[in-house]
Amino acid sequence: MPLASVPIEALPTRSTTRVRVFLDRGDSGTLVPSAVASSPELVLFDLDDTLFDHSLTCRAALARLQVQTPAFATRPLDDLWREYLRLLDSQSSGVASPPALYADRRAERFRRLAARCGWKMAAGEAREISARYRDHYQRLRRPVPGAVALVRRVARRARVGVITNNEYAEQEEKLRFLGLSQLVDPLIVSARERVAKPDARIFRIALERADARASATVMVGDSWTNDVLGARGAGIRPVWFNRFSVRPPTRHRVEEIRSFRPTGPVEALLDPATRRRPLTHSAARPSAA
Ligand SMILES: [Mg+2]
């Protein structure tokens, strides 16, 4: 699911954990839990907007930029943010590119963003503004609420890995910022592997590096296409981190988490062995599009 499709009005205003375990209707017509009953050997997480709060860091950095650069304030912050995420998605291939191109792409994003605000920005200005944005982004970045605590708890019982689409150095640094580098192995980054989610090959690379079976692995991520459908394509059980409560775009049934706080119910969904008492869950029909 493109980040730009996140409905801003749906942003959570408080930290609540909602775990929905969708039930699957078997051939007999009987409803059966779709959750796997055994402990996973490996729990894979996506990084951006699952562990690292990329979207809201972008929004905060753009808000700072609007204060410094009034031309960007001609549009409401949420419009600017949506447009920026759209441009980012349109430029992301997930596979390797030279670092110099990475900076060029960012400058080009700001040139196009300025054009949307009626400002014909020169190439030098675009580089300067994009560097300023980058400084804001680095200073304002933050983890997704509850994500770090969850990974620490999961790592006590299972191996933890990350599969992410982006440049290696960028993603490795984000993991270090979160304080999770020592707990995550393997870290699988699309640019280094030269294959990106949702391609099943990148999930198989993670399984091979962790020496884990697909049937004993869980993948947690916010992207319907990259994480949910990608994991499913590799035979891995997906858990959708639907933080912004959007409707699933296809009719696939999936287990869904809307917040990582508190960690207990989420941990119990990922690893049933942690479940000391039955989960209170709603047997909701998948809200198919
Ligand atoms: Mg993501």
Side-chain angles (χ1 to χ4, degrees), residues 2-279:
L3 290 173
S5 66
V6 170
I8 289 144
E9 62 278 9
L11 293 180
T13 53
R14 60 196 172 94
S15 292
T16 55
T17 296
R18 280 179 286 175
V19 176
R20 294 205 296 171
V21 182
F22 291 149
L23 301 186
D24 215 339
R25 193 176 288 277
D27 291 343
S28 63
T30 309
L31 288 173
V32 293
S34 61
V36 174
S38 60
S39 293
E41 298 169 354
L42 174 66
V43 179
L44 294 167
F45 289 91
D46 164 56
L47 186 55
D48 286 315
D49 287 317
T50 298
L51 302 180
F52 179 85
D53 199 343
H54 168 68
S55 287
L56 295 190
T57 301
C58 279
R59 189 176 186 277
L62 288 169
R64 292 287 171 90
L65 207 59
Q66 278 191 322
V67 172
Q68 291 178 332
T69 314
F72 283 127
T74 56
R75 290 184 64 171
L77 174 60
D78 285 341
D79 284 1
L80 199 70
W81 180 45
R82 278 200 180 97
E83 189 61 38
Y84 183 81
L85 293 179
R86 245 191 301 273
L87 289 168
L88 192 60
D89 273 352
S90 71
Q91 287 182 323
S92 300
S93 67
V95 292
S97 59
L101 277 183
Y102 198 64
D104 286 350
R105 283 204 307 258
R106 190 182 304 120
E108 176 60 17
R109 275 201 297 280
F110 278 93
R111 195 190 63 73
R112 291 189 200 174
L113 195 64
R116 304 285 201 280
C117 298
W119 175 15
K120 194 170 169 15
M121 187 185 269
E125 278 179 312
R127 279 194 293 275
E128 185 200 325
I129 295 280
S130 69
R132 207 182 296 163
Y133 165 85
R134 176 73 178 166
D135 287 345
H136 292 318
Y137 182 95
Q138 290 296 96
R139 275 188 293 104
L140 295 167
R141 59 200 175 148
R142 77 277 314 256
V144 166
V148 172
L150 176 67
V151 170
R152 290 188 190 287
R153 289 181 66 93
V154 170
R156 293 178 194 163
R157 290 175 173 267
R159 190 160 178 175
V160 171
V162 161
I163 306 185
T164 174
N165 284 359
N166 203 341
E167 307 291 332
Y168 188 84
E170 175 104 359
Q171 300 308 79
E172 186 188 39
E173 203 279 329
K174 283 176 188 167
L175 208 56
R176 208 176 317 128
F177 165 76
L178 295 174
L180 296 176
S181 300
Q182 301 301 315
L183 296 180
V184 170
D185 181 24
L187 167 61
I188 305 294
V189 184
S190 61
R192 176 165 280 191
E193 306 301 334
R194 298 189 174 275
V195 60
K197 294 183 291 185
D199 193 314
R201 286 176 295 171
I202 197 166
F203 294 92
R204 292 194 195 109
I205 290 169
L207 294 175
E208 197 178 304
R209 300 260 168 88
D211 194 23
R213 297 166 296 156
S215 60
T217 299
V218 180
M219 172 76 204
V220 183
D222 72 298
S223 168
W224 182 265
T225 300
N226 289 346
D227 302 317
V228 173
L229 301 185
R232 187 164 276 180
I236 294 171
R237 174 189 157 212
V239 172
W240 187 28
F241 180 46
N242 185 12
R243 180 185 179 198
F244 297 116
S245 303
V246 298
R247 289 173 66 84
T250 65
R251 298 183 65 83
H252 292 76
R253 293 175 169 85
V254 70
E255 293 162 291
E256 178 185 324
I257 296 167
R258 295 191 175 180
S259 169
F260 290 147
R261 279 182 172 166
T263 56
V266 181
E267 197 184 355
L269 174 66
L270 300 182
D271 182 354
T274 66
R275 204 176 293 171
R276 292 181 180 81
R277 60 180 189 275
L279 262 182

